[in-house]
């Protein structure tokens, strides 16, 4: 254990036992007989990776000579979940233009028939919640980042499954239930990835069904892993992609989908401060959403509800899952959900650093797309359209590179000049003031939004989430008990996520297991899946042992922000999100 046993402590004082470059980068390809050769390897079957696959296949369809030159498998998508979209979630209210560009022959009505889209936003409301009983309307013009008129309510997991079908029909080789565990780098260039072993026991020993991983050689590798993925983190260190950038910071979102007796007719956002603590010492910033979803096939009226909290907080008892349960007790929410039934639950971290925290997006032989590149507008809770756009632009840069032999760096200029770069630049200094607390930071954040980035000038700094000094506070005092009908505990929520992980699988979570009480409490409350447990007989102060129930893990990734490191489980393990 780093540091000493006396508090206060920050999670960053107890780094995980991992060396990403040493462990997650392989320095030599296996022989031709022992590997798979592909044209382009895309790691991650989310919206960004699959947008890249589909656009690249569209271009290759017009260029049979180049396609033939890429071999039997011109495009391969490597996805660790049971199906593409199985591990991803979002609100999500999507700006429609990038999806229209990617599939120009589809209408928005076609999207709904495919059951990944649920209706255009025609009405919206924003409320400030001063307490657990009142709501104060906020005019949309005062919070333009939450303006959603004309956007589309979607399910990102369902969209990814649709994109997977389109890619496979166009000739992509999609390897689901396959974790990419190492980035292969030879002579300073990415030349592919290695897939993970299957069938190892708790201590890493091969079981009867053991299958070794395989090197996958590629002319170009696309890292589309989402929220600072396993290989992305190693690549950032190996190629110094974060040099002269601000550190990445994170948010954690927990979401439920409800089938309700009467339809919600508008998109709703709330700004708080309730149920968060307003005092600066708690360091809590977050927000909520309620989105209507109409299933055209079944006729069901659904509502997506979620709570997002910045992972910069200082009160160890901050829990996004429990804050969502508390939020549901507000009369505004009960009037919408009461009499309904929860049909889905999910949790996921997302990058919140924005423009200044985006790493360099290219390296020799590889590039980053979507959330892997930090392309989220956290001020507007928007990232899906940036994922789609970046995937499309990446495909076009890859195609040009394969044709001409030039570097992939044109992709960086394309991002900068596109809607991705322009929109993120406008909100580049919006969230940093909130690291000073809701009261002190909100006025400066508001000015940055209203001025579209003209004020303040320059570059505002971030500090890392794991640098926050933790204390065991009182946020948890407001959390409701689970009744199993309207409010729910973490384990029952994990159950409906479709999570399946072998009980005898190796542990894929890296943390120090003996840490000060406040660090252990941070992990215990933060995790939406109940992975981290403190023994009942542990002392109230000083070092405690942490039990890691890694088979509960839903791959949210929040632990990476607060002192640990998530690595991929065996391919196929984890949740299976469908409508989330």
């Amino acid at each position: 254990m780093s540091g000493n046993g006396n508090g206060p402590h920050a999670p960053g004082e107890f780094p995980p036992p991992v060396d990403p470059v040493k462990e997650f980068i392989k320095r030599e390809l296996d022989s031709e007989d022992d590997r798979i050769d592909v044209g382009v390897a895309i790691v991650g079957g989310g919206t960004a990776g699959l947008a890249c696959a589909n656009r690249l296949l569209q271009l290759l369809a017009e260029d049979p000579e180049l396609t033939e030159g890429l071999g039997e498998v011109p495009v391969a998508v490597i996805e660790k979940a049971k199906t593409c979209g199985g591990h991803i979630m979002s609100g999500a209210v999507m700006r429609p233009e990038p999806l229209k560009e990617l599939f120009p022959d589809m209408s928005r009505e076609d999207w709904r028939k495919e059951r990944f889209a649920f209706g255009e936003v025609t009405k919206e409301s924003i409320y400030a919640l001063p307490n657990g009983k009142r709501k104060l309307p906020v005019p949309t013009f005062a919070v333009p980042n939450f303006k959603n008129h004309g956007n589309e309510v979607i399910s990102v997991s369902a969209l990814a499954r649709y994109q997977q079908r389109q890619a496979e029909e166009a000739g992509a080789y999609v390897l689901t239930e396959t974790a990419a565990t190492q980035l292969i780098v030879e002579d300073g260039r990415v030349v592919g990835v290695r897939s993970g072993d299957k069938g190892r026991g708790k201590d890493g020993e091969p079981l009867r069904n053991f299958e070794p991983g395989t090197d996958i050689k590629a002319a170009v590798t696309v890292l589309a892993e989402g929220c600072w993925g396993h290989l992305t983190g190693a690549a950032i260190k190996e190629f110094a992609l974060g040099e002269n950038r601000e550190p990445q910071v994170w948010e954690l979102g927990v979401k439920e989908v409800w089938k309700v007796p009467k339809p919600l007719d508008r998109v709703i956002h709330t700004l708080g401060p309730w149920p968060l603590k307003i005092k600066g010492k708690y360091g809590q910033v977050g927000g909520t959403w309620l989105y209507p979803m109409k299933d055209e096939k079944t006729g069901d009226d659904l509502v997506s509800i979620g709570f997002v909290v910045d992972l910069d907080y200082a009160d160890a008892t901050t829990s996004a899952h429990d804050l969502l349960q508390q939020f549901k007790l507000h009369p505004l929410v009960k009037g919408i959900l009461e009499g309904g039934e929860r049909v889905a639950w999910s949790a996921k971290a997302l990058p919140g650093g924005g423009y200044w925290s985006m790493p360099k997006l290219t390296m020799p032989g590889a590039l980053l797309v979507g959330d892997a590149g930090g392309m989220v507008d956290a001020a507007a809770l928007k990232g899906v359209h940036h994922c789609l756009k970046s995937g499309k632009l990446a495909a076009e840069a890859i195609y040009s590179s394969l044709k001409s032999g030039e570097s992939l760096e044109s992709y960086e200029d394309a991002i900068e000049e596109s809607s991705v770069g322009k929109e993120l630049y406008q909100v580049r200094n919006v969230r940093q003031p909130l690291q000073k607390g809701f009261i002190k930071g909100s006025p400066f954040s508001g000015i940055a939004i209203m001025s579209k980035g003209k004020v303040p000038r320059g570059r505002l700094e971030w500090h890392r989430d794991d640098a926050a000094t933790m204390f065991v506070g009182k946020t948890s005092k407001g959390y409701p008990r689970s009744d199993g009908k309207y409010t729910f505990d973490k384990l029952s929520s994990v159950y409906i996520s479709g999570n399946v992980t072998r009980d005898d699988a190796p542990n894929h979570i890296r943390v120090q297991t003996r840490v000060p009480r406040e660090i252990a409490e941070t992990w215990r409350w933060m995790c939406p899946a109940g992975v981290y447990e403190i023994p009942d007989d542990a002392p109230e102060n000083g070092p405690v042992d942490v039990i890691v129930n890694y088979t509960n893990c839903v791959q949210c990734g929040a632990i990476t922000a607060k002192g640990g490191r998530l690595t991929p489980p065996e391919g196929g393990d984890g949740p299976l999100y469908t409508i989330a």
Side-chain angles (χ1 to χ4, degrees):
M1 182 176 71
S2 304
N4 56 54
N6 301 316
H9 291 290
E13 297 173 42
F14 307 91
V18 60
D19 182 338
V21 171
K22 184 177 180 180
E23 293 184 50
F24 307 147
I25 291 185
K26 187 172 184 281
R27 298 295 176 181
E28 187 177 3
L29 275 164
D30 288 348
S31 66
E32 289 186 31
D33 293 339
D34 296 323
R35 71 183 189 225
I36 299 171
D37 286 13
V38 304
V40 177
I42 299 171
V43 182
T47 50
L50 289 165
C52 182
N54 276 292
R55 179 57 181 149
L56 185 54
L57 288 162
Q58 290 169 0
L59 294 167
L60 291 175
E62 303 297 322
D63 193 336
E65 184 179 349
L66 178 58
T67 303
E68 184 178 353
L70 292 175
E72 292 183 14
V73 182
V75 178
V77 179
I78 302 156
E79 169 55 48
K80 68 184 185 298
K82 285 185 173 63
T83 183
C84 290
H87 286 180
I88 63 172
M89 64 147 285
S90 177
V93 175
M94 180 191 71
R95 292 176 184 158
E97 290 77 16
L99 188 57
K100 289 180 178 178
E101 292 175 8
L102 185 63
F103 298 121
D105 294 335
M106 290 188 77
S107 68
R108 291 174 74 154
E109 199 57 44
D110 292 331
W111 299 354
R112 292 159 206 156
K113 290 177 183 176
E114 292 290 347
R115 302 184 74 194
F116 63 76
F118 298 92
E120 183 175 344
V121 178
T122 57
K123 295 182 180 179
E124 50 196 327
S125 297
I126 304 169
Y127 297 100
L129 304 183
N131 53 48
K133 294 183 178 179
R134 296 179 60 209
K135 68 176 189 291
L136 302 175
V138 177
T140 306
F141 71 80
V143 198
N145 49 305
F146 282 157
K147 183 174 176 57
N148 280 288
H149 194 86
N151 293 333
E152 186 81 16
V153 179
I154 69 159
S155 160
V156 288
S157 54
L159 173 58
R161 291 195 303 277
Y162 173 77
Q163 290 176 278
Q164 176 185 351
R165 293 199 306 272
Q166 295 304 301
E168 287 177 322
E169 289 173 9
Y173 183 33
V174 181
L175 296 87
T176 54
E177 301 188 55
T178 303
T181 57
Q182 289 181 301
L183 193 68
I184 306 174
V185 179
E186 287 187 341
D187 300 322
R189 181 181 180 84
V190 177
V191 294
V193 298
R194 183 170 181 83
S195 66
D197 297 342
K198 293 185 179 182
R200 289 193 180 274
K202 280 188 177 182
D203 298 322
E205 74 280 11
L207 304 177
R208 297 173 104 183
N209 62 339
F210 175 72
E211 297 177 21
T214 305
D215 282 5
I216 302 170
K217 181 186 177 184
V220 178
T221 301
V222 180
L223 297 181
E225 298 177 289
C227 185
W228 197 7
H230 173 66
L231 300 186
T232 305
I236 288 172
K237 290 183 180 295
E238 169 75 4
F239 292 96
L241 303 181
E243 192 173 324
N244 298 320
R245 267 68 169 178
E246 292 299 314
Q248 188 58 267
V249 296
W250 314 96
E251 301 174 355
L252 176 61
V254 177
K255 169 184 174 180
E256 295 177 354
V257 178
W258 283 67
K259 184 165 68 174
V260 293
K262 60 179 182 179
L264 177 63
D265 68 347
R266 67 193 62 218
V267 162
I268 297 174
H269 283 98
T270 74
L271 304 175
W274 186 89
L276 298 171
K277 299 292 185 185
I278 201 168
K279 290 184 179 179
K281 72 173 186 176
Y282 285 87
Q284 294 177 346
V285 175
T288 72
W289 74 77
L290 290 137
Y291 300 156
M293 301 171 69
K294 181 73 173 183
D295 190 324
E296 295 291 341
K297 184 172 182 179
T298 65
D300 289 339
D301 289 302
L302 306 170
V303 171
S304 165
I305 176 173
F307 199 102
V308 177
V309 63
D310 288 14
L311 291 173
D312 180 48
Y313 59 80
D315 181 358
T317 71
T318 306
S319 164
H321 171 85
D322 293 295
L323 286 164
L324 174 59
Q325 306 312 308
Q326 187 177 1
F327 172 63
K328 291 192 302 186
L329 299 181
H330 196 284
L332 168 68
V333 183
K334 291 201 81 171
I336 295 168
L337 299 184
E338 206 160 30
E341 174 191 3
R342 186 177 74 156
V343 296
W345 173 95
S346 55
K348 195 71 176 174
L350 62 148
Y355 187 83
W356 296 127
S357 296
M358 287 172 59
K360 188 177 188 300
L361 298 175
T362 66
M363 65 213 87
L367 47 73
L368 311 178
V369 296
D371 285 11
M375 299 177 205
V376 173
D377 177 355
L381 291 178
K382 292 277 183 295
V384 178
H385 67 303
H386 291 331
C387 287
L388 293 165
K389 185 74 172 182
S390 68
K392 177 177 178 290
L393 293 175
E396 292 167 356
I398 291 167
Y399 178 77
S400 296
S401 177
L402 292 171
K403 288 284 285 185
S404 67
E406 296 178 0
S407 78
L408 297 167
E409 291 189 345
S410 64
Y411 168 63
E412 296 184 30
D413 294 333
I415 287 290
E416 193 72 25
E417 295 166 6
S418 73
S419 57
V420 180
K422 291 175 181 177
E423 289 179 20
L424 291 177
Y425 187 75
Q426 285 187 349
V427 295
R428 65 196 181 280
N429 290 324
V430 167
R431 297 303 296 268
Q432 295 93 318
L434 297 176
Q435 287 200 324
K436 298 178 181 179
F438 183 81
I439 295 177
K440 290 183 179 179
S442 290
F444 297 99
S445 182
I447 290 170
I449 290 172
M450 296 300 289
S451 70
K452 293 187 176 181
K454 295 178 182 177
V455 180
R457 294 179 180 273
R459 168 172 159 176
L460 298 188
E461 297 179 348
W462 289 104
H463 62 255
R464 291 171 57 100
D465 293 328
D466 62 6
T469 300
M470 306 306 297
F471 70 96
V472 180
K474 298 180 180 179
T475 301
S476 61
K477 301 293 184 184
Y479 300 155
R481 289 192 175 188
S482 166
D483 62 16
K485 294 181 179 179
Y486 188 71
T487 55
F488 301 91
D489 62 19
K490 293 179 177 180
L491 293 185
S492 65
S493 300
V494 172
Y495 179 78
I496 69 166
S497 74
N499 185 56
V500 178
T501 301
R502 282 193 297 116
D503 290 339
D504 61 346
N507 184 0
H508 63 282
I509 296 171
R510 305 286 189 89
V511 293
Q512 293 195 33
T513 54
R514 187 164 178 80
V515 293
R517 181 86 194 206
E518 63 268 28
I519 304 302
E521 292 284 1
T522 298
W523 297 344
R524 178 169 80 94
W525 285 105
M526 175 191 70
C527 179
V531 167
Y532 309 96
E533 185 180 341
I534 302 172
D536 292 338
D537 59 355
E540 289 301 313
N541 297 292
V544 300
D545 295 316
V546 177
I547 299 168
V548 182
N549 303 307
Y550 58 90
T551 57
N552 289 3
C553 180
V554 294
Q555 299 289 297
C556 82
I559 189 63
T560 301
K562 281 291 195 184
R565 191 74 180 96
L566 181 70
T567 70
E570 180 176 290
D573 286 354
L576 183 59
Y577 299 141
T578 54
I579 199 170

